[in-house]
Amino acid sequence: MAEGGSINDEKEYLRKLLRKAEDHCSEGSIDTVSTLYRNKPSSYFDDIRQNHNNIMEPYLKDNGGDQRCPINGRLKGLFFNVTLRNGHLPDMSPFGDTRVKMPLSEVFDDSANLYFADFYCKPSRRRVHYVTLVLTHSGSQADSFCQTHLLKLDSYTNIYLRKKPYLSGTYETLDRPAVHVEVMYTEAVNMTHRVLSLTSTFGQGHSTRGGIRKTVGCSICNVGDTSLNEMLRKLLAAFSREGSF
């Protein structure tokens, strides 16, 4: 029972976090998109080719983002981005100078499930927010974990990444200023025959080991702030009714 209660609390927290994301993203528009993309330093891809038989293997999610995110330290995956810039793939990245692209039709088909996992901002870039989705293969061990711990999204109606009904192989993603949609894909990726391209970098040009924790106190993405504000409003309303001030 204790474990069930913990999972219930976990999902209730995620539901509140998803509402925060939906509130913030509701005024966004959409972009038609066909590709997931992943940037890493060139040495990362060299290592995959030379030491891992050209297979990009999922690895354990770090502790970046919301500290109550259920996938932190518990689920393996590969992070891709899907957000466009002015309708095109961005020409630079903070994660590395080398990019691999993967068609959405290859991974987001009828055998895939999509889940909401996180909504956060980073202390160094507080105006930019990130929505974390998890894309799984139905029936996999990772999918079983996500069914238990995350919130499943409707593949045709969610605002972050969705299929277009009746148009096979056509996808849409959120277009909202200062919001990035990232997709954690839980399967290994064969790099054979995939084309790598070079991009510019900004910032440190690679991921931060261990991840970057969510900004404390951001009213946009912190669930605790909403709860505290709601409690204060109720207290003020109670005092006002009683004529205490």
Side-chain angles (χ1 to χ4, degrees), residues 69-113:
C69 178
I71 65 176
N72 286 1
R74 300 166 75 186
L75 187 66
K76 292 182 178 181
L78 297 165
F79 270 88
F80 289 81
N81 290 290
V82 70
T83 300
L84 303 180
R85 182 180 178 86
N86 298 322
H88 303 281
L89 294 183
D91 57 6
M92 59 177 58
S93 169
F95 301 117
D97 62 356
T98 305
R99 174 177 293 166
V100 62
K101 296 185 290 186
M102 188 162 62
L104 274 163
S105 58
E106 181 180 329
V107 292
F108 194 13
D109 56 15
D110 291 340
S111 69
N113 289 322

Short mmCIF file of all heavy atoms in Angstrom, two decimals, residues 69-113:
data_model
loop_
_atom_site.label_atom_id
_atom_site.label_comp_id
_atom_site.label_asym_id
_atom_site.label_seq_id
_atom_site.Cartn_x
_atom_site.Cartn_y
_atom_site.Cartn_z
N CYS A 69 10.93 14.56 -10.62
CA CYS A 69 10.66 13.91 -11.90
C CYS A 69 10.90 12.40 -11.75
O CYS A 69 12.00 11.98 -11.36
CB CYS A 69 11.56 14.48 -12.97
SG CYS A 69 11.36 13.70 -14.59
N PRO A 70 9.91 11.58 -12.07
CA PRO A 70 10.00 10.13 -11.81
C PRO A 70 11.08 9.40 -12.62
O PRO A 70 11.47 8.30 -12.25
CB PRO A 70 8.61 9.61 -12.19
CG PRO A 70 7.71 10.80 -12.09
CD PRO A 70 8.56 11.95 -12.52
N ILE A 71 11.54 9.99 -13.72
CA ILE A 71 12.52 9.27 -14.54
C ILE A 71 13.95 9.53 -14.10
O ILE A 71 14.87 8.83 -14.55
CB ILE A 71 12.36 9.63 -16.04
CG1 ILE A 71 12.68 11.11 -16.30
CG2 ILE A 71 10.97 9.28 -16.53
CD1 ILE A 71 12.64 11.48 -17.79
N ASN A 72 14.18 10.48 -13.22
CA ASN A 72 15.53 10.81 -12.79
C ASN A 72 16.18 9.61 -12.09
O ASN A 72 15.69 9.12 -11.09
CB ASN A 72 15.54 12.00 -11.83
CG ASN A 72 15.29 13.31 -12.53
OD1 ASN A 72 15.09 13.36 -13.74
ND2 ASN A 72 15.28 14.41 -11.78
N GLY A 73 17.29 9.14 -12.65
CA GLY A 73 18.02 8.03 -12.06
C GLY A 73 17.30 6.70 -12.13
O GLY A 73 17.73 5.73 -11.49
N ARG A 74 16.21 6.61 -12.91
CA ARG A 74 15.40 5.38 -12.93
C ARG A 74 15.09 4.86 -14.33
O ARG A 74 14.69 3.70 -14.46
CB ARG A 74 14.09 5.64 -12.19
CG ARG A 74 14.27 6.04 -10.74
CD ARG A 74 12.99 6.61 -10.16
NE ARG A 74 12.01 5.57 -9.88
CZ ARG A 74 10.77 5.84 -9.46
NH1 ARG A 74 10.37 7.09 -9.30
NH2 ARG A 74 9.93 4.85 -9.21
N LEU A 75 15.23 5.68 -15.34
CA LEU A 75 14.86 5.27 -16.69
C LEU A 75 15.99 5.63 -17.66
O LEU A 75 16.57 6.70 -17.57
CB LEU A 75 13.56 5.96 -17.12
CG LEU A 75 12.95 5.49 -18.45
CD1 LEU A 75 12.48 4.04 -18.34
CD2 LEU A 75 11.78 6.39 -18.85
N LYS A 76 16.26 4.71 -18.59
CA LYS A 76 17.29 4.94 -19.59
C LYS A 76 16.68 5.46 -20.88
O LYS A 76 15.58 5.05 -21.26
CB LYS A 76 18.06 3.65 -19.86
CG LYS A 76 18.92 3.17 -18.70
CD LYS A 76 19.70 1.91 -19.07
CE LYS A 76 20.59 1.46 -17.93
NZ LYS A 76 21.37 0.25 -18.29
N GLY A 77 17.40 6.33 -21.54
CA GLY A 77 16.91 6.86 -22.80
C GLY A 77 17.94 7.72 -23.49
O GLY A 77 19.06 7.91 -23.00
N LEU A 78 17.58 8.25 -24.64
CA LEU A 78 18.40 9.16 -25.43
C LEU A 78 17.60 10.43 -25.67
O LEU A 78 16.47 10.36 -26.14
CB LEU A 78 18.77 8.53 -26.77
CG LEU A 78 19.63 7.26 -26.72
CD1 LEU A 78 19.59 6.54 -28.08
CD2 LEU A 78 21.06 7.60 -26.34
N PHE A 79 18.19 11.57 -25.36
CA PHE A 79 17.47 12.83 -25.49
C PHE A 79 17.62 13.41 -26.90
O PHE A 79 18.73 13.57 -27.41
CB PHE A 79 17.94 13.84 -24.45
CG PHE A 79 17.15 13.76 -23.18
CD1 PHE A 79 17.54 12.90 -22.17
CD2 PHE A 79 16.01 14.53 -23.01
CE1 PHE A 79 16.80 12.81 -21.00
CE2 PHE A 79 15.26 14.45 -21.85
CZ PHE A 79 15.66 13.58 -20.83
N PHE A 80 16.48 13.73 -27.48
CA PHE A 80 16.39 14.41 -28.76
C PHE A 80 15.60 15.70 -28.57
O PHE A 80 14.83 15.83 -27.61
CB PHE A 80 15.69 13.54 -29.80
CG PHE A 80 16.47 12.35 -30.26
CD1 PHE A 80 16.52 11.19 -29.50
CD2 PHE A 80 17.17 12.40 -31.46
CE1 PHE A 80 17.24 10.08 -29.92
CE2 PHE A 80 17.90 11.29 -31.89
CZ PHE A 80 17.93 10.13 -31.12
N ASN A 81 15.77 16.61 -29.49
CA ASN A 81 14.95 17.82 -29.53
C ASN A 81 14.04 17.76 -30.75
O ASN A 81 14.33 17.08 -31.73
CB ASN A 81 15.83 19.07 -29.60
CG ASN A 81 16.55 19.32 -28.30
OD1 ASN A 81 15.95 19.69 -27.31
ND2 ASN A 81 17.87 19.08 -28.29
N VAL A 82 12.94 18.51 -30.67
CA VAL A 82 12.01 18.56 -31.80
C VAL A 82 11.62 19.99 -32.15
O VAL A 82 11.09 20.26 -33.21
CB VAL A 82 10.76 17.70 -31.51
CG1 VAL A 82 9.89 18.34 -30.43
CG2 VAL A 82 9.96 17.41 -32.76
N THR A 83 11.92 20.94 -31.26
CA THR A 83 11.51 22.33 -31.45
C THR A 83 12.26 22.98 -32.62
O THR A 83 13.48 22.85 -32.73
CB THR A 83 11.74 23.13 -30.17
OG1 THR A 83 10.97 22.55 -29.10
CG2 THR A 83 11.34 24.59 -30.33
N LEU A 84 11.52 23.68 -33.44
CA LEU A 84 12.10 24.40 -34.58
C LEU A 84 12.35 25.87 -34.22
O LEU A 84 11.83 26.37 -33.23
CB LEU A 84 11.16 24.32 -35.79
CG LEU A 84 10.78 22.92 -36.27
CD1 LEU A 84 9.85 23.02 -37.49
CD2 LEU A 84 12.01 22.08 -36.60
N ARG A 85 13.12 26.52 -35.06
CA ARG A 85 13.36 27.96 -34.91
C ARG A 85 12.98 28.62 -36.23
O ARG A 85 13.63 28.36 -37.26
CB ARG A 85 14.83 28.22 -34.55
CG ARG A 85 15.15 29.69 -34.32
CD ARG A 85 16.62 29.86 -33.96
NE ARG A 85 16.98 31.24 -33.78
CZ ARG A 85 16.85 31.93 -32.66
NH1 ARG A 85 16.35 31.34 -31.60
NH2 ARG A 85 17.22 33.19 -32.57
N ASN A 86 11.94 29.43 -36.18
CA ASN A 86 11.43 30.07 -37.39
C ASN A 86 11.11 29.04 -38.48
O ASN A 86 11.35 29.26 -39.68
CB ASN A 86 12.44 31.10 -37.92
CG ASN A 86 12.68 32.23 -36.95
OD1 ASN A 86 11.76 32.68 -36.27
ND2 ASN A 86 13.93 32.68 -36.85
N GLY A 87 10.56 27.91 -38.04
CA GLY A 87 10.12 26.90 -38.98
C GLY A 87 11.20 25.95 -39.48
O GLY A 87 10.94 25.08 -40.31
N HIS A 88 12.43 26.12 -38.98
CA HIS A 88 13.55 25.30 -39.44
C HIS A 88 14.31 24.73 -38.24
O HIS A 88 14.21 25.23 -37.12
CB HIS A 88 14.51 26.13 -40.30
CG HIS A 88 13.86 26.76 -41.49
ND1 HIS A 88 13.58 26.06 -42.65
CD2 HIS A 88 13.41 28.03 -41.69
CE1 HIS A 88 13.01 26.85 -43.52
NE2 HIS A 88 12.89 28.07 -42.96
N LEU A 89 15.13 23.70 -38.50
CA LEU A 89 16.00 23.20 -37.45
C LEU A 89 16.97 24.31 -37.04
O LEU A 89 17.50 25.01 -37.91
CB LEU A 89 16.79 21.98 -37.93
CG LEU A 89 16.00 20.72 -38.26
CD1 LEU A 89 16.97 19.60 -38.67
CD2 LEU A 89 15.16 20.26 -37.09
N PRO A 90 17.21 24.48 -35.75
CA PRO A 90 18.16 25.53 -35.32
C PRO A 90 19.55 25.24 -35.86
O PRO A 90 19.94 24.07 -36.00
CB PRO A 90 18.10 25.45 -33.79
CG PRO A 90 17.55 24.10 -33.48
CD PRO A 90 16.65 23.74 -34.61
N ASP A 91 20.32 26.30 -36.14
CA ASP A 91 21.65 26.12 -36.72
C ASP A 91 22.74 26.08 -35.66
O ASP A 91 23.93 26.06 -35.99
CB ASP A 91 21.94 27.21 -37.75
CG ASP A 91 21.83 28.61 -37.17
OD1 ASP A 91 21.64 28.74 -35.93
OD2 ASP A 91 21.93 29.58 -37.95
N MET A 92 22.34 26.08 -34.37
CA MET A 92 23.32 25.97 -33.31
C MET A 92 22.71 25.23 -32.12
O MET A 92 21.49 25.09 -32.03
CB MET A 92 23.85 27.34 -32.88
CG MET A 92 22.79 28.31 -32.38
SD MET A 92 23.53 29.88 -31.82
CE MET A 92 24.38 30.43 -33.28
N SER A 93 23.59 24.76 -31.21
CA SER A 93 23.12 23.97 -30.08
C SER A 93 24.06 24.16 -28.89
O SER A 93 25.27 24.31 -29.09
CB SER A 93 23.05 22.49 -30.47
OG SER A 93 22.85 21.67 -29.32
N PRO A 94 23.53 24.09 -27.66
CA PRO A 94 24.40 24.14 -26.49
C PRO A 94 24.97 22.76 -26.14
O PRO A 94 25.78 22.65 -25.22
CB PRO A 94 23.44 24.62 -25.38
CG PRO A 94 22.12 24.07 -25.79
CD PRO A 94 22.10 24.14 -27.29
N PHE A 95 24.56 21.72 -26.86
CA PHE A 95 24.91 20.35 -26.47
C PHE A 95 26.04 19.73 -27.29
O PHE A 95 26.53 18.66 -26.96
CB PHE A 95 23.67 19.45 -26.58
CG PHE A 95 22.53 19.92 -25.72
CD1 PHE A 95 21.34 20.32 -26.29
CD2 PHE A 95 22.66 19.99 -24.34
CE1 PHE A 95 20.28 20.76 -25.51
CE2 PHE A 95 21.61 20.43 -23.55
CZ PHE A 95 20.42 20.82 -24.14
N GLY A 96 26.46 20.38 -28.37
CA GLY A 96 27.55 19.84 -29.16
C GLY A 96 27.50 20.30 -30.60
O GLY A 96 26.49 20.80 -31.08
N ASP A 97 28.62 20.08 -31.30
CA ASP A 97 28.77 20.61 -32.66
C ASP A 97 28.38 19.62 -33.74
O ASP A 97 28.50 19.92 -34.94
CB ASP A 97 30.20 21.07 -32.88
CG ASP A 97 31.22 19.93 -32.76
OD1 ASP A 97 30.82 18.79 -32.43
OD2 ASP A 97 32.42 20.19 -32.99
N THR A 98 27.94 18.42 -33.35
CA THR A 98 27.61 17.39 -34.33
C THR A 98 26.19 16.91 -34.11
O THR A 98 25.78 16.64 -32.98
CB THR A 98 28.58 16.21 -34.24
OG1 THR A 98 29.93 16.70 -34.37
CG2 THR A 98 28.33 15.20 -35.34
N ARG A 99 25.43 16.78 -35.19
CA ARG A 99 24.00 16.48 -35.09
C ARG A 99 23.64 15.23 -35.89
O ARG A 99 24.10 15.03 -37.01
CB ARG A 99 23.18 17.66 -35.60
CG ARG A 99 21.66 17.41 -35.70
CD ARG A 99 20.94 18.66 -36.15
NE ARG A 99 21.03 19.71 -35.13
CZ ARG A 99 20.72 20.99 -35.35
NH1 ARG A 99 20.31 21.38 -36.54
NH2 ARG A 99 20.83 21.87 -34.38
N VAL A 100 22.78 14.40 -35.27
CA VAL A 100 22.16 13.30 -36.00
C VAL A 100 20.65 13.56 -36.02
O VAL A 100 20.08 14.04 -35.04
CB VAL A 100 22.48 11.94 -35.34
CG1 VAL A 100 21.94 11.85 -33.93
CG2 VAL A 100 21.93 10.79 -36.19
N LYS A 101 20.03 13.26 -37.14
CA LYS A 101 18.59 13.43 -37.27
C LYS A 101 17.92 12.06 -37.40
O LYS A 101 18.50 11.13 -37.94
CB LYS A 101 18.26 14.29 -38.49
CG LYS A 101 18.77 15.72 -38.39
CD LYS A 101 18.32 16.57 -39.55
CE LYS A 101 18.99 16.17 -40.85
NZ LYS A 101 18.65 17.09 -41.97
N MET A 102 16.70 11.97 -36.90
CA MET A 102 15.95 10.73 -36.97
C MET A 102 14.52 11.03 -37.36
O MET A 102 13.85 11.82 -36.69
CB MET A 102 16.01 10.00 -35.61
CG MET A 102 15.42 8.61 -35.64
SD MET A 102 15.95 7.61 -34.21
CE MET A 102 15.26 8.58 -32.86
N PRO A 103 14.02 10.44 -38.43
CA PRO A 103 12.64 10.71 -38.85
C PRO A 103 11.64 10.30 -37.78
O PRO A 103 11.74 9.21 -37.21
CB PRO A 103 12.48 9.84 -40.11
CG PRO A 103 13.87 9.57 -40.58
CD PRO A 103 14.71 9.51 -39.35
N LEU A 104 10.68 11.15 -37.51
CA LEU A 104 9.65 10.81 -36.54
C LEU A 104 8.86 9.59 -36.97
O LEU A 104 8.43 8.78 -36.13
CB LEU A 104 8.70 12.00 -36.35
CG LEU A 104 9.14 13.04 -35.31
CD1 LEU A 104 8.39 14.34 -35.51
CD2 LEU A 104 8.93 12.50 -33.90
N SER A 105 8.69 9.42 -38.27
CA SER A 105 7.93 8.26 -38.77
C SER A 105 8.60 6.94 -38.41
O SER A 105 7.95 5.90 -38.37
CB SER A 105 7.78 8.37 -40.28
OG SER A 105 9.04 8.44 -40.92
N GLU A 106 9.89 6.99 -38.11
CA GLU A 106 10.64 5.79 -37.74
C GLU A 106 10.36 5.36 -36.30
O GLU A 106 10.42 4.17 -35.98
CB GLU A 106 12.14 6.05 -37.94
CG GLU A 106 13.04 4.88 -37.62
CD GLU A 106 14.51 5.21 -37.83
OE1 GLU A 106 14.81 6.05 -38.72
OE2 GLU A 106 15.35 4.66 -37.11
N VAL A 107 10.05 6.31 -35.45
CA VAL A 107 9.94 6.00 -34.02
C VAL A 107 8.57 6.33 -33.41
O VAL A 107 8.18 5.74 -32.40
CB VAL A 107 11.03 6.73 -33.21
CG1 VAL A 107 12.40 6.17 -33.56
CG2 VAL A 107 10.99 8.24 -33.45
N PHE A 108 7.84 7.26 -33.99
CA PHE A 108 6.55 7.68 -33.45
C PHE A 108 5.44 7.13 -34.35
O PHE A 108 4.73 7.87 -35.02
CB PHE A 108 6.49 9.19 -33.35
CG PHE A 108 5.35 9.73 -32.50
CD1 PHE A 108 4.62 8.91 -31.65
CD2 PHE A 108 5.02 11.08 -32.54
CE1 PHE A 108 3.58 9.39 -30.88
CE2 PHE A 108 3.98 11.59 -31.76
CZ PHE A 108 3.26 10.74 -30.94
N ASP A 109 5.32 5.80 -34.34
CA ASP A 109 4.31 5.14 -35.17
C ASP A 109 3.25 4.52 -34.26
O ASP A 109 3.15 4.86 -33.08
CB ASP A 109 4.97 4.09 -36.08
CG ASP A 109 5.77 3.06 -35.28
OD1 ASP A 109 5.60 2.99 -34.04
OD2 ASP A 109 6.56 2.33 -35.89
N ASP A 110 2.48 3.60 -34.79
CA ASP A 110 1.39 3.01 -34.02
C ASP A 110 1.88 2.11 -32.88
O ASP A 110 1.10 1.76 -31.99
CB ASP A 110 0.46 2.19 -34.93
CG ASP A 110 -0.33 3.08 -35.88
OD1 ASP A 110 -0.45 4.29 -35.59
OD2 ASP A 110 -0.82 2.57 -36.90
N SER A 111 3.15 1.74 -32.90
CA SER A 111 3.70 0.90 -31.84
C SER A 111 4.31 1.72 -30.71
O SER A 111 4.86 1.16 -29.76
CB SER A 111 4.76 -0.04 -32.41
OG SER A 111 5.92 0.69 -32.81
N ALA A 112 4.22 3.05 -30.81
CA ALA A 112 4.85 3.93 -29.82
C ALA A 112 3.83 4.55 -28.87
O ALA A 112 2.66 4.75 -29.23
CB ALA A 112 5.62 5.04 -30.53
N ASN A 113 4.28 4.86 -27.67
CA ASN A 113 3.49 5.60 -26.70
C ASN A 113 4.26 6.84 -26.27
O ASN A 113 5.50 6.83 -26.20
CB ASN A 113 3.18 4.74 -25.47
CG ASN A 113 2.17 3.65 -25.76
OD1 ASN A 113 1.22 3.86 -26.51
ND2 ASN A 113 2.38 2.46 -25.20
#
